[in-house]
Amino acid sequence: MTIQAVEFARLATGNVTREYPNFPAHLVTSVGEETRPSALHPAFYGAYDWHSSVHMHWLLVRLLRRRLPDPAQVAEVTGLLDRHLTPANLAAEAAYLQDRPTFERPYGWAWLIALAAECRAHGGPDGDRWADALAPAVTAVDLLLSDWLPKATYPVRHGNHPNSAFALGLVLDTGERAGLPAATIGAVRGRLRSWFAGDHDAPAHWEPSGQDFLSPALTEADAMRRVLTVPEFAPWLDRFLPALRAGAPCPLLEVPVVSDHADPQIGHLLGLTLSRAAALRGVAGALPDGPVRTRLTEAADAHLETGLPAVERGDFTTDHWLATFATLALEA
């Protein structure tokens, strides 16, 4: 992944420092209110929108931890992170989250937890400095999760940012290292079980929708392999997606057609090819050797082969986010 890492880092660096074009999810409440992205979000003002900026910062830390080969690029990325991930900048981000409890719920919350975990995993003076600066934002997300989970009676199942399964699965992967309390992580696991443990016969033939970048069914299965025991998971998957065990056709295994890569919403389907690849690999890895695991692995490879060439196109509609999902797929 060395060549890809160099290119992905270049993409991420360019995007997180580019303030415009920008799509802020900010409710303006008064005349004359400050709305510049860099004023609202001193750390995460770039990459078109807040969540993309957060996960492109995650990508930069991830690539540093994977040992970028060029010392000059390492110095550039480290300097950028030092400028963005400061205590003052992240205190402002934490305050923004606390003041707006539904902002970026739950997708952006999950990526912020993943970023903090990646900084802590990076370690050393740099990683620990960034993780310490992120601590107030992690605390803010912890409080927001603790307030939201008890009243989240129903999950959001569609294939866009509010999808519940994807975000909470990411929280489970990264929450402990980020510093989330055990009680919060336990509440996440409990909520996933309460939402999904009884599901069966997922309507896979409804997928994909026209602007999905996540698969509702596969993100759910990928979340459940994190919370079910090994003996529980395979029978649950048989009930949830019976076509897999039966060897019947399953649309989730077919690479989606992307008719216009430059269309911001149709282009989401490029992300779907990559997020499906990651989820298919994750689910396959939780199964014993056999025909189902083989089908999932082969489908993951086909999705990745289609999605990976689209990561760098010179168009901000895809360049500002796809490299993150390519990394998830490559490392799943």
Side-chain angles (χ1 to χ4, degrees), residues 54 91 106 132 168 173 180 193 217 220 236 241 273 289 302-303:
V54 173
D132 290 345
L168 294 195
D173 286 347
L180 283 181
R193 276 184 168 270
E220 178 176 337
W236 178 89
L241 293 171
T273 66
D289 288 337
H303 279 76

Side-chain angles (χ1 to χ4, degrees), residues 4-5 21 77 107 129 146 185 222 226 310:
Q4 290 163 333
V77 170
Y107 182 80
R129 180 171 65 255
S146 298
I185 296 171
D222 201 28
R226 294 166 166 104

Side-chain angles (χ1 to χ4, degrees), residues 129-145:
R129 180 171 65 255
W130 303 327
D132 290 345
L134 278 157
V138 171
T139 298
V141 171
D142 174 42
L143 294 172
L144 291 166
L145 280 168

